[in-house]
Amino acid sequence: METKTETTTPWMCDKCQKALVSQKVKVRYLEGNFEVELLKCPTCNMVFISEALALGKILEVEKSLEDK
Amino acid sequence: MDLDALLEISNQCIHSEPPVCVASCPVHMDVIAFVHEIEKGDFAKAYKVMETKIPFSRLIGKICDHPCESHCVRKEVGGSIRISELEKTVIDLGYTSPKKPLLMPKNRGSVAVIGGGLSGCVAAIELDKKGYNVSIYEKTDRLGGSLWAYEAQGLERAIIEEELSVIAKKGITVWYNTEVTEDTLQHYIEKYDALYLGTGAWSKAYAIHPETFQVNDTSLFIGGTLQTQNRSSIFSASSGKRAAVSIDRYITKTSMSASREREGVFETKLNYKIDTVEPVEEVVKTSSVYSENEAIEEVKRCLKCQCDACIKACVHMQRFSITPDRYIRSICHNERIVLGNRSANLMINSCTECGLCKEVCPLGIGMGDIIHATRQSMVERGKMPPSAHDFALKEMQFSHSDSFSMVRKQPSKEQSKDLFYYPVIAFSQYARGLYKGSGKTGYLFYPGCQLSSTHTDYIGEIYKHLVGVIKEKEADNDVGLYLGCCGAPADWAGRVDLMPESIEKIHKTWKEMGEPTFILACSSCASTFEKYLPMIKTLSLWEVFVRYGLPSVDIKKGKRVLSIHDACASRHNSSVHESVRSIVKTLGYSVEELEYAKEKAKCCGYGGLVSNANPEQAKDFVQDRIHKSAQDILVYCAMCKDAIVKGNKRAYHILDLIYGDEMNQKIPQKMPTLSERQNNRKRLKHKLLKEIWNEEERAVNTIYSFSLHLSDAIIALMEKRFILLSDIEKVVDHSLTCKERFYNPETLDFLARLRVNNVTFWVKYEEHGSDITVKDVYSHRMEVVED
């Protein structure tokens, strides 16, 4: 899964009070396993997914995996 | 799935069957394409259409004896389309000289054509195209034979000569002034690989094979007048063409008969109905041939006969612009694919399985059962897209759960003794019904999950009415109540694995209750029972109302006119149709029937879980249903009402006429949201247990420490994205408890996520003390591994 996502964001981790960093993150759906660059908290690893990403690229990949 | 059997069905579909004009044309000119081009005013393209099938089209088009016209479907409604006249105009306006012929290598064998008349020339050209070295033996000094009879009678000499000159241009050898007779025939038989005999007359009468035109199994083939036994130029040309096919097969030693069933004139399976066709008289030509405009006018009368009854009736087939034959081939492709995209998945999940196509198909081909089997196969092979039906199946699980599901016998006399005093017992039929309690459950009222979700407050009233009226007539039979889901969503989703959970539970309850008759208020429940629980006797609530009496309701004469939208699941239940109409009329309304009613009912778009799998397609169904109705719509299925009201058309459930007051309100109707629907079911159980059985449930709702505030825009978004209030509550609760959330210092918003089963829900909110104002909700199914 290739994605071009936001690399900077005003959002920060509320628990760790850290700015988010762009890092490789594992994502999986059905028989698909990918590594993608996503924003996450460098301390607790909580991954940020924006609405645009969820309803855009992620939905698109979900649909194409469902039809595989 | 037996894909071969499926393809058999696809072959039966007559959508691609040619119209009778094409089938009765010996060379099968594509009349529909021809008239389409004329209608567009493109006479050059119309000529190309002629040229594709008619040999020497510039000549034959002028003299053709047009067997097509005597079979034209228009014949009885204004007169046959004048195809022969149109051909003349097309030649005059659209003829373009052919490209210089490509000279093919002639290495496949040698053929002699005896007789250079029309059929001989056609056979020679066809064989030349196939790569044979052809020699024509003509007893006179010119080619064309009987064509010359038309000189100055439809054909001009110069044009006959010009057209026949193609023989020489192609390099076909012509031996003029060379007569072949029966005596010399053997010489040619020995010299050539095959012989075509196309002389108008011959001294010996050979037995000619009616399909292949071969004489026994020799190399001799006979066509033209000798074979057709008539003077028809088009039959003559056709025999030349067909003999050429036979000769090619003979020389190349391939089957003489395979796949040739429809070579000549054949009977089409298409039976175009003219019941609704308005007569339009043929256009009379003002000169010797149709002018351009006259031709265009004349083709407008053409019915372009094609079977499209199912497509006309079904917005699903319209959306995917597909016909049953191609649909089945797409399914087969989708089923067989190993690597690559199953591109038909969305289409397969966009059929409501309503069965209308089967109703309107002249051959009774229905896609509903096929789609159903396909979905089951997709599930079995693990190829069903999970997102298609996930929400509906979770909804079903909710209905199966203790939150909604319950079974109770009629309250016993002991339980109800508080009601047995004057005046209650005197004025309440319900109280008298309870007083006559026998302990034997003769009937079990099963309102279904959807009616319980949308018309929650009616259920208790209906139950009390049933106890009252039934006990009045059948003292022996108590009336119980059963809340649950019949399993229709699993059936629609192809989840055979989930069916037993519904079915076995219902069956067990039925046994334990002493095999009562189920009173069903939902058409989908009725069809599920019929399919999976045929041993259970059922009645529709509407039949019960007619048989035992309606609840007392203020009946005023001259109430308004309503159009009845029948439930597609009840299309074959005429007793339901009649009961509903009888109730509506008894209540003082008159009925304006819709074009597609009763057995031809159209689906509201909920069937087959289409509103889950493809909401856009579901909208098509609603729009299609409502745009043809001037009146408000009356329904007897809760889902139909939901769909129609959401399509912005006033609709009333038949129960609204009895128990509701929506009819008299001018304010826009509103259906409960997905979350409210779940909550209503929970509330219904709670309320019925309390009010009728005097039972208190444990607290049914989780209490959270925050209050959620949702704007109408957010609620609309939740509906669109299939997100429940309970999902949002879980996300917010988790984020507050575990502090797992993002914070935006610019907007001061929080964003939290929680994975609930197989979906991750995201909620953006503003926090003011315990007040949480939701600003956005979304979800995804992709799992993010956080480590």
Side-chain angles (χ1 to χ4, degrees), chain B residues 148-292:
Chain B
W148 290 100
Y150 295 94
E151 185 187 355
Q153 290 186 48
L155 297 179
E156 290 167 35
R157 180 187 189 91
I159 295 181
I160 301 178
E161 283 174 348
E162 190 185 328
E163 289 298 302
L164 292 174
S165 70
V166 68
I167 300 278
K169 284 181 196 152
K170 281 182 174 286
I172 297 170
T173 316
V174 186
W175 301 86
Y176 291 104
N177 302 310
T178 309
E179 185 172 10
V180 178
T181 62
E182 178 63 26
D183 296 337
T184 56
L185 193 65
Q186 191 57 34
H187 163 72
Y188 296 91
I189 289 176
E190 282 162 18
K191 189 172 169 194
Y192 292 94
D193 294 326
L195 236 65
Y196 174 77
L197 187 58
T199 55
W202 196 254
S203 60
K204 182 178 172 185
Y206 282 103
I208 309 166
H209 190 281
E211 308 295 331
T212 64
F213 308 159
Q214 190 177 18
V215 174
N216 297 322
D217 47 8
T218 68
S219 61
L220 180 62
F221 295 81
I222 301 180
T225 313
L226 288 174
Q227 185 272 326
T228 64
Q229 297 295 316
N230 62 38
R231 313 292 306 166
S232 162
S233 54
I234 192 70
F235 275 96
S236 185
S238 165
S239 73
K241 254 182 123 168
R242 295 173 67 189
V245 173
S246 297
I247 290 171
D248 180 41
R249 290 189 178 205
Y250 173 78
I251 295 176
T252 56
K253 296 188 170 58
T254 43
S255 163
M256 295 299 290
S257 57
S259 310
R260 299 184 70 176
E261 298 79 9
R262 292 188 151 197
E263 236 181 43
V265 171
F266 62 91
E267 205 163 313
T268 175
K269 284 188 271 179
L270 180 64
N271 180 16
Y272 196 85
K273 296 269 189 306
I274 51 169
D275 325 354
T276 56
V277 176
E278 290 292 320
V280 186
E281 296 298 316
E282 73 175 73
V283 174
V284 181
K285 55 186 181 180
T286 50
S287 59
S288 61
V289 287
Y290 275 140
S291 68
E292 182 172 346

Side-chain angles (χ1 to χ4, degrees), chain B residues 393-412:
Chain B
L393 294 172
K394 284 177 183 160
E395 262 279 283
M396 187 183 77
Q397 292 308 329
F398 176 86
S399 289
H400 284 329
S401 76
D402 280 340
S403 294
F404 174 60
S405 192
M406 69 167 236
V407 193
R408 288 293 181 279
K409 289 185 161 197
Q410 182 176 309
S412 67

Side-chain angles (χ1 to χ4, degrees), chain B residues 645-698:
Chain B
V645 168
K646 282 180 183 160
N648 284 323
K649 176 92 183 166
R650 287 195 84 87
Y652 310 105
H653 194 282
I654 189 166
L655 293 169
D656 293 330
L657 270 49
I658 299 168
Y659 296 106
D661 60 351
E662 276 175 50
M663 299 288 296
N664 308 315
Q665 293 174 353
K666 289 276 181 279
I667 50 166
Q669 290 178 290
K670 200 173 166 288
M671 295 307 291
T673 64
L674 296 168
S675 305
E676 285 165 343
R677 299 165 74 90
Q678 279 203 353
N679 200 43
N680 283 347
R681 265 170 279 167
K682 212 189 271 186
R683 185 167 64 82
L684 175 64
K685 178 180 177 182
H686 187 75
K687 184 176 163 224
L688 291 177
L689 282 178
K690 191 172 172 193
E691 290 177 7
I692 294 179
W693 284 272
N694 209 13
E695 293 175 31
E696 276 291 348
E697 268 190 304
R698 283 175 286 115

Side-chain angles (χ1 to χ4, degrees), chain B residues 8 44 46 60 114 119 123 262 371 385 409 447 504 537 551 602 714 740 753 776:
Chain B
E8 271 303 303
I60 291 181
I114 316 292
S119 85
R262 292 188 151 197
I371 301 280
K409 289 185 161 197
E504 281 167 16
K537 212 175 139 199
K602 282 194 170 182
I714 291 294
E740 277 183 23
R753 55 91 189 93
D776 196 9

Side-chain angles (χ1 to χ4, degrees), chain B residues 498-545:
Chain B
L498 296 178
M499 283 316 287
E501 190 179 352
S502 313
I503 297 311
E504 281 167 16
K505 190 173 165 194
I506 296 171
H507 189 262
K508 188 165 162 261
T509 306
W510 174 67
K511 278 278 179 198
E512 283 170 0
M513 286 277 185
E515 306 188 1
T517 297
F518 272 59
I519 298 173
L520 305 175
C522 169
S523 298
S524 296
C525 292
S527 75
T528 309
F529 272 65
E530 194 185 325
K531 185 170 169 184
Y532 292 97
L533 296 158
M535 68 298 281
I536 298 183
K537 212 175 139 199
T538 66
L539 276 175
S540 75
L541 181 59
W542 331 121
E543 289 166 294
V544 173
F545 278 169

Side-chain angles (χ1 to χ4, degrees), chain A:
Chain A
M1 186 171 101
E2 282 180 38
T3 51
K4 276 205 182 110
T5 57
E6 308 95 313
T7 44
T8 59
T9 177
W11 290 97
M12 53 188 285
C13 180
D14 189 44
K15 185 159 76 178
C16 312
Q17 290 293 308
K18 290 275 177 63
L20 305 185
V21 294
S22 182
Q23 263 184 31
K24 285 260 184 222
V25 173
K26 277 187 200 154
V27 295
R28 58 183 176 221
Y29 186 55
L30 302 176
E31 281 155 33
N33 279 286
F34 312 93
E35 278 213 344
V36 282
E37 287 273 332
L38 291 172
L39 290 166
K40 61 186 275 191
C41 170
T43 309
C44 73
N45 287 324
M46 186 164 65
V47 177
F48 174 86
I49 290 178
S50 70
E51 181 181 23
L53 182 62
L55 304 182
K57 196 70 196 175
I58 289 184
L59 183 64
E60 194 186 307
V61 173
E62 283 172 7
K63 283 195 182 301
S64 81
L65 287 169
E66 287 190 341
D67 288 343
K68 277 273 175 275

